Amino acid sequence: MINPLVNRRTLLGGLLGVTALGLTGCAGDDAAAASLSASDPLPTTVDPATALVISIHTTQVALQASGEIGKLPFTVKDWPNIAAGPDVITAFRAHSVDLANNAGIPPIQAAAIGVDAKIVAVQTVQKPQYTYVTAPGNPVAGLTDLRGKKIGFSQGQAQGVVVLRTLKEQGLTPKDVQLIALPSTKFLVALQSGQIDVAPLAEPSITKYLLEYGKDGAIQFPMTAVDYLGVLWAPGEVLADAGKVAAIRSFIPFWAKDQVWRWENKEKWLDAYYVKDQQVSPADAERIGTTLQKPFFPRNWDKAVAWEKESADLLVEGGFIKPIDPEKLFDRRFQSLAADAVPAEYQE
């Protein structure tokens, strides 16, 4: 069955909670910003004084570790650590973030509630990024044991759609389980308390959780559902600002090359992010390193649009959102920038 909290009203109510995040004001205070329409070509001249608020903590860490952060041709006003899709949408609505990195689902949710934002860069993965983790006592034996179970479900995030994809793979519908509406940031507490039986987690949360609760019977088991897209996206008002668009255009190659740097310098990345930033042990960081995936950047976004349509259709079928046009999620003017910035072996 579907928990009564899981509906469009819940999502909208959460996204309206701007003050809960302490987000107010403007991301960039450009009093005399030049306007840009969606049909205009991308500007190429970057003003060093242009300021962006970029909510991509991992990229900040990687650019610092690689020594590239000082080469950005514009000003980064702030790097807030806002990662969860619903929180990013709230920040967009509060005019507090100019650019963010999420999976493909938050843009779908934004469109469904009328928040104007566009995808400006795409990265793809080929294997599942999440793993199912159980509450202490192991109330779920595996993928074939989901019927009737309480599953952590965040419809505005990738963790929600991988659950829906898993249910479809297992021949189940949302009515066959109990979907408990929670942001992914609450999954760990809900697992610990037994509010939910199982939830999809990613590293380093898996390691941290199992270190504490594995002795109490909590386990992990793999999923087969792939969260295909990682995207950079920005609010429509930001993409109407010529100065900020030029800065975003210049940032995308840094972002793409950063993903390649992590892959080709795995030990440095594991130390910089997982050990020093996330405080996991070197041994656990090394194990996490075996789960990292080689990044790919498509030159053409047709497959990405098709994946977004498939995901949106799942949400529509479940009664979570109204139909959207997935093509309108993308600003194709940016389409080849990421792929152009990386060697051919990373292009898709």
Side-chain angles (χ1 to χ4, degrees):
M1 83 186 196
I2 302 178
N3 185 291
L5 294 178
V6 184
N7 54 35
R8 287 191 293 272
R9 183 178 296 175
T10 296
L11 176 68
L12 181 57
L15 295 179
L16 289 173
V18 173
T19 56
L21 286 174
L23 298 172
T24 57
C26 298
D29 301 319
D30 297 320
S35 62
L36 193 73
S37 75
S39 61
D40 289 333
L42 297 179
T44 58
T45 302
V46 182
D47 183 347
T50 297
L52 294 182
V53 175
I54 302 176
S55 183
I56 315 176
H57 181 62
T58 51
T59 293
Q60 178 190 16
V61 173
L63 291 177
Q64 288 171 337
S66 65
E68 293 293 301
I69 198 164
K71 299 179 183 179
L72 293 173
F74 57 89
T75 301
V76 179
K77 185 178 180 180
D78 191 16
W79 296 88
N81 191 6
I82 304 171
D87 292 343
V88 168
I89 295 174
T90 298
F92 282 176
R93 295 178 72 120
H95 316 291
S96 298
V97 166
D98 295 311
L99 186 68
N101 182 197
N102 288 99
I105 305 309
I108 292 174
Q109 293 289 356
I113 63 170
V115 175
D116 180 21
K118 301 288 185 183
I119 293 168
V120 297
V122 171
Q123 177 189 351
T124 63
V125 297
Q126 314 303 317
K127 301 176 183 178
Q129 299 184 81
Y130 296 96
T131 296
Y132 283 111
V133 178
T134 72
N138 185 21
V140 184
L143 286 177
T144 59
D145 188 34
L146 292 174
R147 185 182 293 273
K149 299 301 191 294
K150 295 178 292 184
I151 305 174
F153 181 73
S154 179
Q155 71 177 65
Q157 299 180 257
Q159 292 93 326
V161 169
V162 294
V163 167
L164 295 180
R165 288 177 179 269
T166 295
L167 295 180
K168 188 173 184 178
E169 290 171 357
Q170 297 300 314
L172 302 174
T173 72
K175 294 181 180 180
D176 296 317
V177 300
Q178 299 179 64
L179 297 179
I180 308 301
L182 294 166
S184 65
T185 52
K186 301 296 184 182
F187 284 175
L188 289 176
V189 172
L191 286 168
Q192 294 162 15
S193 67
Q195 180 184 0
I196 58 176
D197 297 319
V198 65
L201 298 181
E203 294 290 5
S205 296
I206 297 170
T207 292
K208 293 179 178 179
Y209 175 75
L210 291 179
L211 279 174
E212 186 169 356
Y213 292 95
K215 64 182 182 298
D216 298 321
I219 67 166
Q220 62 176 311
F221 56 88
M223 72 167 61
T224 54
V226 176
D227 178 33
Y228 176 64
L229 293 184
V231 305
L232 295 187
W233 61 315
E237 65 181 7
V238 171
L239 296 177
D241 181 323
K244 290 188 175 183
V245 169
I248 290 172
R249 176 178 179 165
S250 73
F251 177 78
I252 290 172
F254 281 90
W255 171 76
K257 291 175 182 177
D258 150 50
Q259 313 299 314
V260 172
W261 179 88
R262 300 183 204 183
W263 180 253
E264 295 183 348
N265 298 271
K266 194 172 294 185
E267 289 187 5
K268 292 181 179 179
W269 170 239
L270 294 175
D271 179 65
Y273 181 66
Y274 290 100
V275 176
K276 294 178 179 175
D277 190 81
Q278 294 296 302
Q279 300 294 301
V280 304
S281 71
D284 284 330
E286 184 175 352
R287 182 185 55 76
I288 291 171
T290 65
T291 69
L292 301 181
Q293 298 187 46
K294 183 176 181 178
F296 292 95
F297 303 91
R299 290 190 146 285
N300 183 285
W301 289 351
D302 287 352
K303 189 175 179 180
V305 172
W307 193 93
E308 290 287 78
K309 182 181 186 307
E310 184 178 313
S311 297
D313 287 347
L314 280 174
L315 290 167
V316 172
E317 290 168 10
F320 302 113
I321 66 169
K322 296 179 180 179
I324 65 161
D325 181 352
E327 180 64 47
K328 292 182 179 179
L329 302 177
F330 296 80
D331 188 333
R332 292 222 189 211
R333 294 176 298 173
F334 296 87
Q335 184 168 232
S336 67
L337 291 179
D340 288 343
V342 300
E345 66 176 291
Y346 297 97
Q347 298 174 7
E348 182 183 285

